[in-house]
Amino acid sequence: MEHPENDEQYKGLKVNDGVIQPSIINPYMKHRKVRRELSVNDYVEGILKGDITVLSRAVTLVESVRAEHQAIAQEVIEKCLPYSGNSVRIGISGVPGAGKSTSIDVFGLHVLEKGGKLAVLAIDPSSERSHGSILGDKTRMEHLSVHPNAFIRPSPSAGSLGGVARKTRETIILCEAGGFDKIFVETVGVGQSETACHSMVDFFLLIQLAGTGDELQGIKRGIMEMADGIVINKADGNNIEKAQLAATHFRNALHYFPMPDSGWTPKVLTYSGFYGLGIKEIWDMIDQYFVFVKNNGYFDYRRNEQAKYWMYESINEHLKNNFYQNEVISTMLEQAEQDVQMGKRTSFIAAKCLLDKYFDLLKK
Ligand code: GDP
């Protein structure tokens, strides 16, 4: 074949003829199947049948920020709602390194011994920054990750803590409709995300470590008050005594708190997630709690209160998004910000102007 590049005028450039290529490079390669779009009914039917692939795809929709995905997700959630609620929801919290994933792996195997299905979800608002969550990471739960009756899902990463938490809460509904009767929600031990986790679980378990004796100072009062059970991990080797001492400190400290609404006095236990010691005792305590709160009506009360809380959260989030996503408002915001920073207007006046404008726009 003649190549124009080989013309005299292009000195130093020579193009050779190539070799003839076979029509198929790898005859064994299969074409990837294009995933069929599922309808709302496909999702609901798949979830109710316990199809994990469909459940995972539905959770991906819940986590998506795209409006069309959200529209389908919301319909799926609504249709799954009547089939949800039949599970025990347990929040598990602790600072990084407390042993959450080691423990969840062991706790999970323990609860699955009696049958049923377990979903491990997570709330980690930092996951957006770290691009990929550390919580709920399958590789951290060696046994559960290969267990046929366990479903592990890392934290949703899009948006604010409120957004992340709402998505986890919606995922709980889908998992329950899919027959998961045990739900763990893992969270990091840093204030806000624990409150969010507490607002969607029936039992809140706080994992602590024995420290230098002043561990109580580092833990915020509000978090102690949220806990239905405190467990001191790594009570093994020559750490047993320290762990027991820490447990005594926590028990003493709990005396100074008012009796929780549940009427249940939080218990403090020691255990070792790594060596699997004291696991049964922790689960006996949790079982006792459920019997206690189901008998005194607190179980239903807490769930109803949570439903109310999430209704308001949802309203707040929608209103906020609607305000900030309004085109007129978002152009005005920049100017308002500058005015406030330069002291031309007070924050309150600037806010009031923007809100007045927003309400005017709504009327039109
Ligand atoms: P997470 O960050 O809270 O999820 O904590 P990990 O489960 O990743 O555990 C942090 C470290 O503590 C790891 O090196 C674990 O092997 C270790 N660890 C966890 N549980 C125990 C335990 O019961 N005893 C001892 N000695 N080490 C533990």
Side-chain angles (χ1 to χ4, degrees):
M1 192 197 288
E2 262 313 301
H3 289 284
E5 294 89 339
N6 293 341
D7 194 281
E8 266 302 289
Q9 59 176 312
Y10 304 117
K11 293 227 169 15
L13 185 69
K14 173 142 174 48
V15 177
N16 292 323
D17 284 342
V19 289
I20 293 167
Q21 297 290 330
S23 57
I24 299 173
I25 307 275
N26 177 358
Y28 303 107
M29 192 178 86
K30 293 208 176 90
H31 285 288
R32 270 182 97 198
K33 265 199 247 162
V34 179
R35 280 220 285 191
R36 190 171 67 86
E37 291 281 320
L38 299 180
S39 69
V40 170
N41 280 343
D42 292 335
Y43 276 114
V44 177
E45 270 174 32
I47 291 172
L48 295 181
K49 264 198 312 202
D51 184 329
I52 294 290
T53 316
V54 176
L55 174 66
S56 298
R57 285 180 68 177
V59 175
T60 306
L61 284 191
V62 166
E63 291 173 353
S64 168
V65 286
R66 282 170 58 182
E68 64 269 32
H69 289 168
Q70 273 304 310
I72 304 175
Q74 292 309 316
E75 260 191 82
V76 174
I77 293 165
E78 195 153 338
K79 292 203 162 142
C80 283
L81 207 53
Y83 304 95
S84 71
N86 308 318
S87 75
V88 290
R89 306 170 183 164
I90 294 166
I92 299 175
S93 168
V95 293
K100 290 182 297 301
S101 40
T102 313
S103 307
I104 289 173
D105 207 26
V106 184
F107 293 162
L109 289 184
H110 181 83
V111 297
L112 284 172
E113 263 174 26
K114 291 184 200 142
K117 296 204 287 180
L118 166 72
V120 181
L121 312 176
I123 300 177
D124 180 7
S126 69
S127 62
E128 187 163 35
R129 263 175 284 138
S130 56
H131 290 291
S133 167
I134 3 164
L135 293 192
D137 179 355
K138 283 186 191 185
T139 56
R140 293 164 63 239
M141 294 162 201
E142 220 184 303
H143 299 98
L144 277 188
S145 59
V146 292
H147 198 291
N149 294 330
F151 174 69
I152 304 176
R153 187 84 188 185
S155 175
S157 62
S160 59
L161 169 64
V164 172
R166 184 173 60 84
K167 284 162 203 251
T168 305
R169 158 121 179 141
E170 290 174 344
T171 302
I172 292 180
I173 295 170
L174 300 186
C175 290
E176 288 176 347
F180 287 86
D181 57 346
K182 301 159 189 52
I183 313 273
F184 288 176
V185 182
E186 183 187 7
T187 190
V188 269
V190 282
Q192 289 292 299
S193 43
E194 285 177 316
T195 314
C197 176
H198 183 256
S199 68
M200 63 180 83
V201 297
D202 307 312
F203 185 96
F204 192 72
L205 186 72
L206 190 60
I207 299 183
Q208 289 290 314
L209 291 177
T212 48
D214 60 357
E215 53 268 358
L216 284 173
Q217 288 174 7
I219 130 162
K220 291 198 196 80
R221 191 194 154 98
I223 294 168
M224 285 275 281
E225 271 172 283
M226 274 193 287
D228 300 299
I230 297 176
V231 285
I232 323 282
N233 190 17
K234 308 195 187 181
D236 46 50
N238 46 21
N239 204 30
I240 296 182
E241 259 175 45
K242 259 208 246 166
Q244 281 166 349
L245 190 64
T248 311
H249 286 155
F250 276 107
R251 278 188 206 112
N252 290 341
L254 281 170
H255 285 311
Y256 296 103
F257 291 131
M259 175 65 96
D261 291 346
S262 58
W264 165 266
T265 317
K267 304 253 182 312
V268 184
L269 297 173
T270 60
Y271 78 110
S272 165
F274 191 80
Y275 293 101
L277 306 169
I279 311 298
K280 183 180 175 300
E281 287 73 8
I282 294 178
W283 240 260
D284 287 348
M285 161 187 60
I286 294 176
D287 288 343
Q288 271 173 25
Y289 170 86
F290 276 101
V291 172
F292 185 81
V293 293
K294 280 189 177 170
N295 280 338
N296 74 3
Y298 181 76
F299 180 86
D300 290 328
Y301 169 80
R302 181 156 163 176
R303 285 217 171 166
N304 288 339
E305 285 296 300
Q306 289 174 341
K308 217 162 67 180
Y309 169 86
W310 283 99
M311 181 185 82
Y312 284 110
E313 276 296 295
S314 186
I315 293 173
N316 292 346
E317 208 188 318
H318 277 98
L319 285 178
K320 210 167 78 180
N321 288 347
N322 195 273
F323 174 80
Y324 285 110
Q325 283 162 10
N326 184 296
E327 272 175 38
V328 179
I329 297 297
S330 59
T331 45
M332 283 173 71
L333 263 173
E334 206 176 318
Q335 185 60 47
E337 232 180 70
Q338 278 177 15
D339 289 355
V340 170
Q341 276 172 338
M342 289 161 68
K344 282 192 192 162
R345 281 193 288 174
T346 69
S347 330
F348 306 104
I349 305 254
K352 187 171 180 318
C353 284
L354 285 163
L355 286 167
D356 285 347
K357 179 74 190 171
Y358 176 68
F359 291 128
D360 272 350
L361 289 168
L362 287 186
K363 280 186 209 146
K364 280 177 195 155

